[in-house]
Amino acid sequence: CIFRPTGLNDKWPVGSRPVFSQGDVAVGRINRRDVATLLVDCLTSDEATGKTFEAFTLEGYPPAVSVNRALSRMKADSEGIPSDEVLFASYSALQQLLPGERQDASKLAMGQTYEQLDKNEDGRLGKRGQEDAEAAAPKPTSV
């Protein structure tokens, strides 16, 4: 499988319920520890085989006992991409779960959260259109 986690956030609550989708339409937060758990779950689930999907977690909702049921609802990559109607319906539903008030991904700078956007704060890489991704990139420890 190919698992695409949404926004990685170490301050996001660990152990929250994952929400899965396909079509690269999900936006949300997920703790790295939950990503690790989901990756192990995928390794042991036949339902994940041959599928590409993304996930975020919902704060305040406990995780399901198993991810198999949710993964069984995902289409296999061999079935092709979801239809435009399915993608639009998924996108419309998932946009309602965006954090913050402005909820406009087109206004985000790289490395900026929706909460920072609401407060007119710069993201960790700078202002939109002036981001310095190179400065934030890991540097080799030896040459």
Side-chain angles (χ1 to χ4, degrees):
C1 77
I2 298 172
F3 168 48
R4 298 176 175 154
T6 57
L8 299 172
N9 186 325
D10 292 334
K11 295 178 184 173
W12 195 249
V14 175
S16 298
R17 181 173 296 267
V19 175
F20 298 94
S21 66
Q22 290 180 297
D24 204 22
V25 295
V27 178
R29 308 275 195 287
I30 189 167
N31 191 294
R32 283 176 173 82
R33 289 173 51 191
D34 286 331
V35 170
T37 298
L38 289 173
L39 287 170
V40 171
D41 289 345
C42 288
L43 288 172
T44 60
S45 172
D46 291 338
E47 300 296 342
T49 303
K51 298 177 181 180
T52 299
F53 51 89
E54 56 267 359
F56 61 94
T57 55
L58 287 177
E59 180 179 9
Y61 289 85
V65 174
S66 169
V67 297
N68 288 338
R69 175 172 240 163
L71 293 177
S72 72
R73 295 180 178 134
M74 302 286 110
K75 287 178 61 170
D77 293 347
S78 61
E79 297 176 49
I81 61 171
S83 69
D84 288 346
E85 292 82 15
V86 169
L87 289 175
F88 181 75
S90 297
Y91 177 80
S92 296
L94 293 173
Q95 289 299 300
Q96 296 176 61
L97 299 173
L98 285 174
E101 295 300 318
R102 291 175 61 186
Q103 299 183 342
D104 186 354
S106 69
K107 303 286 187 218
L108 285 173
M110 289 174 36
Q112 184 181 33
T113 67
Y114 285 99
E115 294 85 356
Q116 288 173 319
L117 181 65
D118 286 344
K119 296 176 187 175
N120 292 316
E121 296 174 354
D122 292 343
R124 63 184 173 83
L125 301 178
K127 295 181 185 294
R128 180 169 171 74
Q130 301 172 11
E131 297 95 334
D132 187 2
E134 189 174 317
K139 307 292 186 263
T141 55
S142 62
V143 181

